[in-house]
Structures are given as C-alpha cells and as structure tokens.
Amino acid sequence: YRATDHRGGCNGARIRHNPEFTWGENKNLDHALDLLEDIKAEYGADLSWADLIVLTGTTALEEMGANQMTFCPGRTDDEDGSDSQYLDEAIYINAETGDAAGIRESMKIMGFNDREMTVLNGGGHSIGKTHTGTSGFEGPWTHNPTTVSNSFFVSLLEETWVEDKSPGGRVQ
C-alpha cells in the first residue's frame, strides 16, 4: 500500500497475480495460497480471496499471542492484478544492503511513522524464520519464533553477533 496515491494494499488480492506473485519478496507464496484453496472453495463467492488472506493472517497472529483484532470484511478481488503495474517492487528493502534510512523511506511511502515502523519491523521479526530457498538467508529471528513478542529487539541488544555466510551464500 502506498499512502501517496492509495494504490496497493489488501483489497483486490493482487498478490495472487503477476506481477506481485512473482516478486522476490513473495517467493513461495504459492504454498500458502494452496493451503487456502479448500477454504475458498467451501465458501465460494461469500468470501473474497482478499478477505481470506487478511483473515488468515489475523488468525495466525492471534494464535501466536497477539491481542485479539477486529476483522472487517468487505474486500473484493481483482480479476487479473493489472493494477499492480503502478506499484514498485523496489519498495521492499534488500536485507543485505538495506539500512535504517531505506527502511524509514519505504515505511514512509506506506504511510507509517517511526513508531509504527518499529512495531511492524520488530513484530514481524519476532515470528517465523528465514528460509534459504526463499531469501538466501537461514534461521529463526528469535528463540521462540511461534510467539509474538518483543524478543527480536531483546536478541538484537543482548546477543553476540558474528558475521557468517548462510547456506545460500548470503552474508548474515
């Protein structure tokens, strides 16, 4: 989503279509979408892909300990994702070469202030892990990657960090 012209975001579920589907940041997204196929088939036209994707993410976060969130349905699906042509894949920051200024600029484009940017960055990095086949990096972000917490920031400040090469050959 871009706050500058209000393009992008969840409405439309364009992430299922090219070009967004093939962007590097969305690599292996097909696996997640495949898991949702049966749910979409069961509810058909009563549930848009856009709402299903948002509801799935909301539910996953709640299951990992995030505060309960209100789900607001009503998103629609684009037929082909053609509106994505106005978006820029480069809004995502390269993990090897990115810096704080780049992250701040990317988040500013999406309409986030510094506080919101920090919450999104830390919250997103408190769960899950990197995968060599997806990003070239490997490993969890935290010691408990299935729980939403501030542990990403704790790890950044309290762990001893040593530069290494991932199995994918990237500096991490």
Side-chain angles (χ1 to χ4, degrees):
Y1 174 77
R2 291 189 313 213
T4 53
D5 59 8
H6 307 290
R7 291 188 186 266
C10 300
N11 196 37
R14 288 173 302 279
I15 201 166
R16 299 177 308 117
H17 304 288
N18 289 328
E20 288 185 54
F21 185 77
T22 58
W23 288 354
E25 294 292 328
N26 296 331
K27 190 174 183 181
N28 291 330
L29 181 63
D30 55 325
H31 300 299
L33 293 173
D34 287 348
L35 292 171
L36 300 178
E37 282 285 347
D38 289 343
I39 298 169
K40 177 62 175 131
E42 181 177 339
Y43 292 94
D46 292 332
L47 177 65
S48 69
W49 270 104
D51 275 348
L52 178 57
I53 291 167
V54 171
L55 182 59
T56 302
T58 301
T59 301
L61 287 169
E62 289 174 353
E63 288 294 314
M64 290 185 276
N67 292 335
Q68 187 172 0
M69 295 171 256
T70 302
F71 175 72
C72 301
R75 294 164 193 83
T76 58
D77 295 335
D78 280 0
E79 292 296 318
D80 60 8
S82 60
D83 198 38
S84 296
Q85 67 184 321
Y86 302 105
L87 303 177
D88 183 1
E89 176 183 10
I91 197 169
Y92 298 110
I93 304 299
N94 181 308
E96 272 185 305
T97 60
D99 59 14
I103 293 170
R104 178 176 272 148
E105 180 59 29
S106 178
M107 290 291 178
K108 180 180 171 187
I109 291 168
M110 292 184 269
F112 295 111
N113 63 35
D114 285 351
R115 183 177 183 173
E116 294 162 333
M117 171 188 73
T118 302
V119 169
L120 284 171
N121 191 326
H125 287 93
S126 75
I127 57 175
K129 64 174 269 188
T130 61
H131 301 273
T132 304
T134 305
S135 66
F137 299 104
E138 183 60 38
W141 297 106
T142 67
H143 296 291
N144 193 1
T146 59
T147 302
V148 175
S149 69
N150 70 344
S151 59
F152 174 69
F153 295 114
V154 172
S155 294
L156 284 177
L157 297 172
E158 293 183 357
E159 299 286 335
T160 300
W161 297 97
V162 178
E163 188 174 294
D164 196 7
K165 288 272 187 181
S166 73
R170 298 192 72 177
V171 175
Q172 62 180 37

